[in-house]
Amino acid sequence: VLQRPSTVLQGTLDLLILKALSTGELHGLGVSRRIQQITDGTFVVQPGSLFPALHRLEEAGWLKATWQPSENNRRAKYYRLTRAGRRQLGEETAEWNRIALAIARALEA
Amino acid sequence: MPHRVMEAGVQLICRLCSLWRNLVHRDRMETDVDDEVRAAFDMLLDENVARGMTPDEARRAATLQLGRVESLKAQVLDAKTGALWAAFLQDVRYGIRLLIRSPVFTLFAIASLALGIGATGSIFLLLDHIVLRTLPVAEPDRLVLASFRTPGRPFNYSLPYPQFAQIRERSTALESVFAINPFGRVTVAVGAQAQMAEGMCVTGDYYRTLRLLPALGRLLMPGDDRPGQAVAVLSHAFWRRGFAGRADVVGAAVALNGIPFTIVGVEPEAFNGVEVGRPYDIAVPMRALDVLNEGSPLWDQAFATWIYVMARLKPGVSLEQAEAESRELFRQASVAGARGEAERQLGRESTLRLEPGAAGANSDLRDTYGSWLRLLLMVFIAVLLLASLNVATLLLARSGARHREIATRLALGAGRERVVRQFLTESLLLGAIAGTFGFALASWGSRVLLRIAVPASERLPVDLTPDYRLVAFTAAVSLLTCVLFGCMPAIRATSPRALVISPLIGSSGRKRLLDRTLVAVQVALSLTLLVAAGLFLRTLGNIWALDTGYDRHNVLMFSVDARLAGRRGQDVPNTYARLLEALRTIPAAQSVTAAAVRPVSDNYYFVSSVRQVGDTSLPEDRRIRVAFNHVAPGFFRTLGISLIAGRDFDERDSLAAPKVVIVSERMARHFNGNPVGQQIRSGGDVLEVVGIVKDIRYANVKDAPREVLYFPMFQVQPARFFTPTFVIRSLGDSTALKRTVGEAVSHIDPGLTVFRMKTLEAQTEDSLSRERLLGTLTGYFGGFAVLLACIGLYGLMSYSVTQRTPEMGLRMALGAPPSAIRWLVVRNATTTVLAGAAVGLVASSAGAGLIRTQLFGIEPHDPIAFAASTLLLLVMAFVAAYLPACRASRIEPIVALRWE
């Protein structure tokens, strides 16, 4: 697997994780793959960044984790958005759009 | 939406728990992270195998993809801890910012909570040390305490020696038995250096039964308790205080009241004796009383009670078994030691009782203050409840003031959990700060209280070092109050109704029901306290105003004991006589005398019975119980007790002269005809009545006047002289005499030490210390409670005025006079206050019955106390409501209408 830009801004990573989980619960590797999928492979999140971030978001109350059987009948820890997490996703999306727009304008100018 | 609040509260608690888990149960969390990482690894492994790799290749590939398991784990754990701390600190920072933003509220909340927590904590500390604690010895629950009674009499914790000896020798159920006798003041001299100490004598098994180990040297052993064995053990505190904690004290020679002893050891530090509130300084074997006491010790007297007895049960033996056996042994010894049929009968009917002795011997301090401390604890918990209700009211009012801000935030999508969490953090912070101050206040306050409660002792009778139990108590109390005052505003501020209703015209009313109820509860509680304070103060006033039969003004009293200076035999009364002579020469001394029992006794008093009055011999069941005193000439004149008939004692009434007695008025009524010249028989003596004096309240101001016999002090056998009190009536203020008296005493003998020097007024005050404490404490805290309730009321009314400003403005614009507006606000407060007062009055009359035993000279439903308290409360409540009312009446209509 070819690994392109692997360093992701932390805020961006949180946003991506929340977004990845917005359609349903996933386990750690699932989150990483979903991010890769929705960003068309632009972002590949390393496990060394992913797992700490998942736990940080869990402690912040945005994610909730439960142990469940996985597709291939192993046990895996599944994450899903809490209500607060969903709200956070909304706030961060709005914030991101504002900044992205501002930067895009700045670059066009 | 209360469940939201719950959720946020739960979340906050989860956060704290999680932090706790993270710090303490790191291993459990590690396992969880470990499992997760391994599961991910296994998943990759499976996929790789499914793609057709060999197991080895699959493993290598998975490791490459995931990184090293251990380092990944470490990264996750670090992130987790960091996030936890960050969130927690953020909450705390935000809380502090909120508190700083309203410093007046914060200061008030912290001060009132700290005062409440401190007061409750100080009483708890006292209760814990005096009532709840067990002895610091091994297996205290196997210790038992003995008492006995004869028919018709209460249980007596003082036992006679022969019965104790019988139980000690014969018992099979008790592992070991010991007896103690606190024998009071003793002079401890090392070389020329002498100091006063409290002495205790113990039988040989004392330390063995308690299973104590020495801090230094050895403790007393059974072999020490025999004649001629002059050894002593120091208490740890006395070793520190009197011997500077020197290690070479073991083996040192000391003189106790002039008799040589050897110090053999020092008691362990935690041990303060078996009687709470009566620590001793030096312990000697009980047989040493043979040389320390001049009177014949009571070893063989089966009906003289003077020792406290405790024992340790044998393993496997129940209290009941031991009691049954000891009871029989006690009876046998009583009958065997009886002299005459009456005593034999008494012996047969005596009943020994054993009770659990984990808390030590029967304690006067515990008896006097136990129930009283429980009462005070209830009072202070009420005050604390009130303080936290008050903080809740203010928080509510503030949440009202912050209503718009909160509603805006919620509307903008801020999580309700977050808003609620802020409230809770704020209250937890308040609670934590107040709890810290409260703890400090409690450790200081308990000392002050005990000092006031036990004014007679030179040192605090209980070691009140605050410990983990007080920490636990104050922490629990603080946390509970936080929950109490933190949750209500949180629920209210975020309830959906609060979001919908914006404060427009006429929106007050039902919505403030919670606030009104809180204020009403405060009014009720504070009125209850005020009534209690009123009752106690009236009690104190009644006692103080009692006619005691003597004049307590300008009287100075002090004690000396010639025996403590090493004098013996006839030398003892001679010294006192010389001292009386010397005192009479002091110019300011109007009249001088001495007595064995102080007019207001703080140590002991004497009782006896009279067998014959005049010619009438009284049968055993008709004997007159009397109190008696040994007094020097001039006693009645000095104390202002009038002589009704006959004469006072004088120099004629010496040891060689015929025995005489002066009787009290009440005693005189038992005679036929004029008592003067008649005879009575009391104890073994036949005495001639030479005078009659007015009744006085003997020994205790609250005791009703009783039959009293006065014997001439110098007609008492020298060996039976008790430590006398010298009494001086002066022309002016008697406190000025103190120095002159000290000089006179040391002029007689430099070895004599003056102690318990007090004016009669001060002695009376001290004897009422309990009533005074109860009165002043409930008074102060009642006042504090009323103040709190009024602040609550003021807050409520101010808020209501702010809220109804548009309405008021409209009314005024329509022509309502300012007085009508004021009346509107006051009327608004009236219902709340009256409802609270009514509940308070009902609670007070129910509660007054509980304190009946603490009252004197008034009924629990004393109308004056009730009326005065209610009036005071209503006046203060009116002021609290009137101030916002005035503000309301000054509203400019036009400003009000533009308010929104």
Side-chain angles (χ1 to χ4, degrees), chain A residues 27 29 33 47-48 51-52 55-56 58-59 61 67 70 72 74-77 79 83 87 91, chain B residues 15 18 32 35-36 39-40 43-44 46-47 65-66 72 75-76 79-80 83-84 413 415 417:
Chain A
H27 52 66
L29 288 176
R33 281 174 194 157
F51 282 98
H55 281 265
R56 191 156 33 74
E58 188 190 350
E59 289 302 338
W67 283 93
S70 68
N72 46 6
R74 288 187 180 277
R75 252 162 45 90
K77 202 169 178 186
Y79 293 89
R83 222 190 284 258
R87 203 160 36 227
E91 281 172 23
Chain B
R15 185 176 301 277
S18 173
D32 189 64
D35 284 352
E36 185 180 9
M43 208 178 283
L44 285 174
D46 286 352
E47 286 171 7
Q65 283 164 299
L66 202 61
L72 181 56
Q75 276 172 299
V76 173
K80 216 175 167 78
L84 276 167
E417 294 85 350

Side-chain angles (χ1 to χ4, degrees), chain B residues 352-365:
Chain B
L352 183 85
R353 176 179 69 174
L354 292 185
E355 62 190 287
N362 184 52
S363 154
D364 283 346
L365 191 68

Side-chain angles (χ1 to χ4, degrees), chain B residues 730-796:
Chain B
S730 61
L731 287 167
D733 181 21
S734 49
T735 44
L737 269 179
K738 284 184 177 177
R739 216 165 50 86
T740 328
V741 164
E743 281 162 10
V745 170
S746 54
H747 189 71
I748 297 289
D749 180 350
L752 284 175
T753 319
V754 171
F755 52 92
R756 289 167 62 208
M757 185 172 320
K758 244 173 217 175
T759 64
L760 183 49
E761 275 182 309
Q763 181 94 28
T764 311
E765 272 179 29
D766 287 355
S767 79
L768 300 176
S769 58
R770 199 158 55 129
E771 285 78 8
R772 244 184 33 224
L773 256 186
L774 211 49
T776 43
L777 282 181
T778 45
Y780 282 136
F781 280 90
F784 175 58
V786 171
L787 195 68
L788 284 182
C790 287
I791 289 172
L793 185 68
Y794 176 82
L796 179 69

